[in-house]
Amino acid sequence: MKGDPMERILIILLTLGVTALVTILPGRAVVRIIDPTADRWRSWMLSPSIGLLLLCGVGGWSVIVSGKYQFEVMALELATLNLIATGLLWERDVRQVRRLSPWERLELSMSEEEAEQMFIDLDDPEAIRERTLARDERHYVIPLLIFAGLILMCPLLIFNMPLGGDWIGFSAVADSFIELGGPSLPEPHNGAWTYPPGFLAATAFFSELMRQETWIIGWVLAHGAMWALIAGLAGASDRWGTARSTLIGIALPLGLFAKLWDTGWPTITSLLGIIPAIVILLRPSASRKRWHDPVFIITLLCVAV
């Protein structure tokens, strides 16, 4: 990455900050649905990975359905996604804290499933058991995540450009999205790039938004996606009280970083679908709610692009 270290750090922080602003609310809304007993700590661990997955899904399917990439259209879609997420979070917060009328209590007693969707009982035995299991395993998780983040950002500060060669093709496709509105090859060539457009559309969007080159944005987004994946694995395993053990045993081995340093950026973002899959599929079938399967299908569609 060009520029002095302070300029590089500023670009990294701005890119990750803008990405977080766009994705955190949708991520938290999905966490509220698929893991209603999650406390604030687990919710913040899970939200970045799910939010980034939704970002790539929205961008990818927008390109596939409309046949072209448009900055304004994607901005409108992301704004709509955040409005929907805000509505879901606000509605559930209001229903959790306000006192129910006698008629509402009667309605809830007639439908246990609806009661589960409307509020979370903090004295529920399942919630108490999860908090007890997770208390000890959460020690040192935050320092480990900070350490992982520093390691992930080192290549951005040390090298002038990404390692490997795949990033050249990804940047070319993202540039084609911006200049031509799709993955078409520039003249005099005839044809189009055939590659899932999700990550590339997100790269093109933030590149236009921040007025930076696509390879720089893609490089930073990929490293941010890896950190979100690591945090998501810790958050998903926290349900069974194994956040620290999973982080050390699965998330931090160097083999997971190899694909990132070889610039397999879309592969990294496709792995984000593991997080909602763990939370939903490893839940006992008896405790699965009607919204779990639709959300799982949505995340699968996001992984597909």
Side-chain angles (χ1 to χ4, degrees), residues 71-267:
F71 175 82
E72 295 79 7
V73 172
M74 188 167 174
L76 180 61
E77 292 167 345
L78 292 176
T80 303
L81 180 65
N82 276 271
L83 286 175
I84 294 172
T86 302
L88 290 173
L89 291 170
W90 178 83
E91 181 181 20
R92 292 179 69 86
D93 283 338
V94 169
R95 289 181 175 181
Q96 287 176 36
V97 300
R98 70 181 176 86
R99 185 180 298 276
L100 299 179
S101 67
W103 179 258
E104 288 173 320
R105 288 199 297 270
L106 176 61
E107 289 181 331
L108 290 180
S109 67
M110 295 171 62
S111 176
E112 293 182 358
E113 183 179 38
E114 186 67 19
E116 172 67 18
Q117 295 173 7
M118 292 182 68
F119 70 93
I120 300 169
D121 185 4
L122 296 179
D123 295 325
D124 182 76
E126 183 183 5
I128 295 175
R129 180 184 63 84
E130 290 178 10
R131 289 197 299 270
T132 303
L133 285 173
R135 187 176 296 116
D136 293 336
E137 275 286 320
R138 288 182 179 179
H139 294 319
Y140 305 113
V141 168
I142 298 300
L144 285 172
L145 287 174
I146 295 174
F147 170 75
L150 293 175
I151 295 297
L152 283 169
M153 295 305 134
C154 281
L156 301 175
L157 301 174
I158 296 174
F159 302 114
N160 291 327
M161 60 182 60
L163 303 176
D166 295 346
W167 66 275
I168 300 174
F170 300 145
S171 301
V173 179
D175 287 331
S176 178
F177 278 10
I178 296 173
E179 297 170 5
L180 304 175
S184 302
L185 293 173
E187 295 182 355
H189 305 286
N190 184 21
W193 296 90
T194 56
Y195 207 85
F199 177 79
L200 306 177
T203 300
F205 176 79
F206 285 114
S207 179
E208 286 196 89
L209 183 65
M210 302 186 62
R211 300 293 190 269
Q212 293 289 334
E213 296 181 63
T214 53
W215 68 270
I216 294 177
I217 298 298
W219 199 10
V220 176
L221 277 181
H223 284 254
M226 175 62 85
W227 186 89
L229 175 63
I230 293 172
L233 287 171
S237 58
D238 179 70
R239 179 177 174 81
W240 298 276
T242 59
R244 183 178 57 197
S245 304
T246 301
L247 191 62
I248 296 174
I250 297 177
L252 294 183
L254 293 179
L256 190 61
F257 293 77
K259 191 64 177 177
L260 176 67
W261 289 341
D262 192 38
T263 64
W265 299 339
T267 304

